[in-house]
């Protein structure tokens, strides 16, 4: 960063200095009369997420806003505040971070300067910095049992030069060690696994707090934080299943069921949020009631705990692992997540039905990307019948999904009727996305597709009674779920969905479902071959998805982001 301050009083001098600054550098203008906290300048001048940002007496611009900055300087004069106003007026958005109790003023006289200095001395800047390092919206367990001390761990890491990505990686390694301890199947291993899982969660909170404390936001960091959370939790499920198997208890179906349910919960959250991200709507009675409940302190925490966010969920898993058995852990997970899913989904359905929203083309495209339609569904959508009616898309999607799941459950394993049901599902999936998903309940379409694909794989593997089929199915769903999470965070980062060649290569949701059904049908009597086929399918999907995902996130020019959304 190149600072331009007291030596550049005239606009023309500043413009010349800007022209001489290397084109790839961020630049900043600071008024020599600025008085305030150092952290005020950090928030305004060092946050990498904004193309241009300002506080009273200070302004910064990333390389992409340099040309607009130079033009604004020549037109508005030398003062950073006037230049920031000119940038806003020219269409270059200037972010003004919330300073709260921090001081940032341009003192025009000695009396004002002394008053500002007194105000600076009256505020404990470090206390403010530590407090704002904690996410503004979090669960009860995280807020009261983790954040009171993890923020100090974040400061300790910052002072020793650790980066958020390093802490995120340490959290992943700790969780994988916890999964390994659970896989031993011993009581000591389970106790160690529970303790390590809790410590992994402490580190998981610390990485975000470190990013906020030191303003080290990055696209890579947001991706690692989001995907590693899922990898840690699902790897731990696998560790519990392996540990139970050592004790003679096969809980792979429960482990896979828990992963399917949790993944479907997440896609409900993602789809609803994307559908309403920039929608124009009136206030619904449900939303008004929710806002009213939020005004009563204790109801806020009860409602946050009901949805079983990551803090409460991991605490429950850790404690139950240490004192009970893997089977009981999964029973508790399935019941808790099912109730949470019913609560959140019902509330969102009511909100969607009781308010009229005009959804944008961007929202419709995001839902189409989340649907993950492959070649079959795309061909049907392009050439098949067009839907009419506000609710037809989710109804058609649900009809195809229900027919497939019911057939897989009721027909004899290996029956060719399941293939027919999978083809029927593929056709209806294409019809469901044949028009832009702008209806009130169209955000339900991606969750229905996820439940159909993941659920069918689970049912087929469980009903096959083939040794190793369920672990192989667990791996297949893990690979596909990674692709779906990757899609979500690309959209959230503003970079769009994965390329179409990737979606076509791995078949889309309907293509993968059809492949899984065909494999189960053709290899119904070849037990070893079915396990090998599912394993090979999982490895192929994982390789394609991981290579493309890693290439994208490592080389992406996407802007820095940081997720402050729901505590999933």
């Amino acid at each position: 960063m190149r600072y331009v301050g007291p030596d550049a009083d005239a606009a023309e001098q500043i413009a010349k200095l800007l022209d001489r600054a290397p084109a790839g550098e961020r630049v900043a203008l600071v008024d020599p009369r600025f008085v305030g906290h150092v952290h005020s300048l950090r928030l305004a001048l060092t946050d990498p997420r904004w193309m241009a940002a300002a506080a009273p007496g200070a302004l910064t611009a990333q390389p992409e806003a340099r040309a607009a900055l130079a033009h604004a300087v020549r037109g508005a004069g030398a003062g950073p505040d006037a230049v920031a106003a000119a940038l806003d007026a020219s269409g270059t958005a200037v972010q003004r971070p919330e300073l709260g109790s921090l001081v940032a003023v341009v003192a025009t006289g000695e009396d004002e300067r002394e008053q500002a200095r007194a105000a600076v001395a009256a505020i404990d800047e470090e206390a403010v910095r530590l407090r704002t390092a904690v996410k503004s919206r979090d669960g009860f367990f995280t807020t009261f049992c983790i954040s009171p001390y993890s923020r100090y761990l974040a400061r300790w890491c910052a002072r020793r030069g650790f980066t958020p990505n390093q802490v995120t990686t340490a959290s992943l390694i700790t969780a994988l060690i916890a999964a390994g301890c659970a896989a031993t199947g011993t009581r000591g291993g389970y106790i160690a696994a529970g303790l390590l899982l809790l410590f992994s969660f402490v580190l998981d909170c610390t990485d975000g707090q470190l990013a906020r404390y030191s303003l080290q936001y990055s696209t890579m960091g947001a991706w690692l934080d989001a995907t590693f959370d899922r990898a840690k939790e699902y790897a731990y499920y696998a560790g519990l299943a392996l540990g139970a198997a050592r004790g003679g208890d096969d809980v792979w179906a429960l482990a896979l069921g828990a992963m399917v349910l949790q993944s479907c919960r997440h896609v409900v959250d993602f789809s609803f949020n994307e559908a309403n991200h920039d929608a124009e709507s009136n206030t619904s009675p449900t939303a008004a009631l929710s806002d009213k409940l939020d005004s009563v302190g204790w109801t806020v925490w009860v409602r946050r705990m009901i949805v079983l966010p990551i803090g409460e969920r991991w605490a429950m898993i850790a404690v139950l692992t240490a004192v009970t058995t893997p089977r009981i852990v999964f029973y508790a997970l399935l019941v808790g997540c099912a109730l949470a899913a019913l609560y959140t989904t019902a509330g969102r359905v009511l909100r969607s039905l009781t308010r009229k929203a005009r959804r944008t083309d961007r929202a419709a495209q995001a839902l189409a990307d989340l649907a993950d339609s492959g070649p079959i569904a795309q061909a049907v959508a392009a050439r098949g019948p067009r839907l009419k009616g506000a609710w037809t898309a989710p109804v058609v999607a649900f009809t195809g999904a229900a027919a497939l799941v019911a057939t897989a459950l009721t027909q004899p394993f290996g029956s060719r009727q399941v293939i027919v049901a999978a083809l029927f599902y593929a056709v209806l999936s294409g019809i469901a996305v044949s028009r832009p998903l702008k209806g009130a309940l169209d955000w339900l379409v991606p969750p229905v597709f996820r439940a159909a694909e993941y659920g069918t794989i689970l049912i087929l593997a469980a009903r096959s009674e083939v040794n190793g089929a369920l672990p192989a199915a667990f791996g297949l769903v893990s690979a596909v779920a990674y692709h779906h999470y990757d899609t979500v965070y690309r959209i959230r980062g503003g970079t769009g969905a994965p390329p179409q060649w990737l979606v076509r290569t791995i078949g889309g949701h309907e293509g993968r479902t059809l492949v899984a059904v065909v494999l189960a049908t053709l290899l119904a009597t070849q037990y070893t071959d079915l396990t090998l086929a599912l394993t090979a399918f999982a490895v192929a999907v994982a390789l394609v998805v991981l290579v493309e995902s890693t290439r994208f996130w490592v080389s992406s020019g996407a802007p820095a982001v940081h997720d402050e959304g729901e505590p999933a």
Side-chain angles (χ1 to χ4, degrees):
M1 179 181 296
R2 186 176 295 268
Y3 290 92
V4 180
D7 297 330
D9 297 324
E12 192 57 35
Q13 289 178 301
I14 293 177
K16 289 178 180 179
L17 287 172
L18 289 174
D19 291 339
R20 288 202 297 267
E25 283 190 6
R26 174 207 292 262
V27 295
L29 307 179
V30 181
D31 195 303
R33 299 167 296 173
F34 174 87
V35 179
H37 290 102
V38 173
H39 196 54
S40 296
L41 288 178
R42 285 195 196 99
L43 291 170
L45 304 181
T46 67
D47 193 324
R49 294 175 295 175
W50 319 120
M51 183 170 63
L59 169 68
T60 186
Q62 298 271 30
E64 55 267 32
R66 287 273 299 275
L69 174 64
H71 180 75
V73 166
R74 288 186 169 92
D81 295 341
V83 175
L87 279 175
D88 271 328
S90 69
T92 300
V94 178
Q95 176 70 21
R96 290 173 174 80
E98 179 63 48
L99 299 181
S101 58
L102 295 175
V103 176
V105 298
V106 176
T108 57
E110 191 58 34
D111 289 343
E112 190 175 352
R113 182 179 296 276
E114 289 302 319
Q115 291 176 359
R117 286 173 176 167
V120 170
I123 300 296
D124 186 344
E125 179 180 12
E126 184 61 19
V128 173
R129 196 176 175 190
L130 281 170
R131 185 175 66 251
T132 55
V134 177
K135 186 185 290 187
S136 59
R137 177 182 174 84
D138 238 327
F140 180 89
F141 179 77
T142 304
T143 299
F144 294 103
C145 299
I146 303 296
S147 292
Y149 58 88
S150 62
R151 69 185 74 181
Y152 295 101
L153 179 58
R155 181 173 66 181
W156 183 88
C157 292
R159 290 177 175 177
R160 283 154 183 80
F162 292 111
T163 67
N165 290 354
Q166 290 171 333
V167 178
T168 302
T169 303
S171 176
L172 173 66
I173 293 172
T174 303
L176 293 179
I177 295 172
C181 292
T184 64
T186 64
R187 180 51 53 195
Y190 289 148
I191 293 173
L195 292 173
L196 286 170
L197 187 65
L198 285 177
F199 183 59
S200 174
F201 183 64
V202 172
L203 293 176
D204 183 60
C205 295
T206 300
D207 64 1
Q209 291 165 1
L210 174 58
R212 285 181 285 272
Y213 181 86
S214 57
L215 300 177
Q216 296 184 71
Y217 303 114
S218 69
T219 301
M220 174 69 78
W223 172 65
L224 290 177
D225 186 49
T227 55
F228 280 11
D229 278 352
R230 308 288 83 83
K232 288 181 287 190
E233 186 167 359
Y234 299 156
Y236 193 82
Y237 293 176
L240 284 175
L242 288 169
R246 286 179 177 271
D249 190 12
D250 187 354
V251 296
W252 274 107
L254 297 178
L256 181 51
M259 181 168 68
V260 169
L261 181 55
Q262 187 60 25
S263 298
C264 289
R265 279 188 64 198
H266 284 143
V267 78
V268 167
D269 294 343
F270 299 145
S271 294
F272 180 81
N273 290 336
E274 288 303 323
N276 295 281
H277 176 72
D278 48 6
E280 297 179 3
S281 63
N282 63 337
T283 301
S284 71
T286 308
L289 175 61
S290 178
D291 293 340
K292 186 176 181 180
L293 289 174
D294 279 343
S295 66
V296 183
W298 65 270
T299 65
V300 174
W301 297 114
V302 170
R303 294 171 68 213
R304 291 187 189 179
M305 293 173 70
I306 287 174
V307 301
L308 204 63
I310 188 170
E312 277 75 359
R313 193 167 67 250
W314 282 27
M316 179 186 74
I317 293 170
V319 171
L320 290 179
T321 298
V323 301
T324 64
T325 65
R327 181 172 289 274
I328 293 176
V329 173
F330 286 125
Y331 282 155
L333 260 177
L334 288 167
V335 171
C337 289
L339 292 175
L342 287 173
Y343 170 77
T344 55
T345 305
R348 286 165 177 172
V349 168
L350 285 174
R351 286 192 181 201
S352 299
L353 292 177
T354 54
R355 69 180 179 187
K356 295 180 179 180
R358 289 185 298 172
R359 292 186 170 83
T360 63
D361 292 337
R362 177 210 169 275
Q365 184 59 52
L367 290 180
D369 293 334
L370 290 173
D372 193 32
S373 299
I376 300 175
Q378 290 176 0
V380 172
R383 299 176 178 82
R386 297 282 176 174
L387 290 178
K388 294 182 179 180
W391 296 2
T392 50
V395 169
V396 169
F398 180 80
T399 300
L404 173 60
V405 171
T407 305
L409 276 172
T410 58
Q411 295 301 310
F413 180 73
S415 170
R416 297 184 183 275
Q417 289 179 309
V418 185
I419 296 179
V420 175
L423 288 170
F424 178 68
Y425 165 72
V427 171
L428 289 192
S429 297
I431 295 175
V433 297
S434 61
R435 63 167 176 78
L437 297 175
K438 293 185 176 181
L441 296 178
D442 284 1
W443 58 269
L444 285 170
V445 171
V448 168
F449 290 163
R450 295 298 84 76
E453 180 181 2
Y454 299 168
T456 300
I457 294 171
L458 167 60
I459 292 167
L460 293 175
R463 294 197 66 199
S464 71
E465 299 183 357
V466 173
N467 186 33
L470 277 167
F474 190 96
L476 176 57
V477 172
S478 298
V480 175
Y482 176 87
H483 163 62
H484 290 141
Y485 284 117
D486 184 55
T487 300
V488 166
Y489 284 95
R490 291 197 197 204
I491 294 172
R492 282 190 171 184
T495 58
Q500 273 298 303
W501 71 259
L502 174 67
V503 176
R504 289 193 295 268
T505 299
I506 60 175
H509 70 93
E510 81 289 352
R512 289 187 300 270
T513 304
L514 184 58
V515 169
V517 168
V518 169
L519 289 175
T521 302
L522 296 180
L523 303 175
T525 59
Q526 306 295 323
Y527 292 162
T528 304
D529 289 350
L530 177 59
T531 299
L532 290 175
L534 290 176
T535 302
F537 191 18
V539 170
V541 172
L543 283 176
V544 174
V545 169
L546 284 172
V547 169
E548 160 56 21
S549 175
T550 304
R551 180 211 62 78
F552 171 80
W553 289 105
V554 169
S555 62
S556 173
V561 295
H562 191 75
D563 182 22
E564 295 286 358
E566 296 292 327

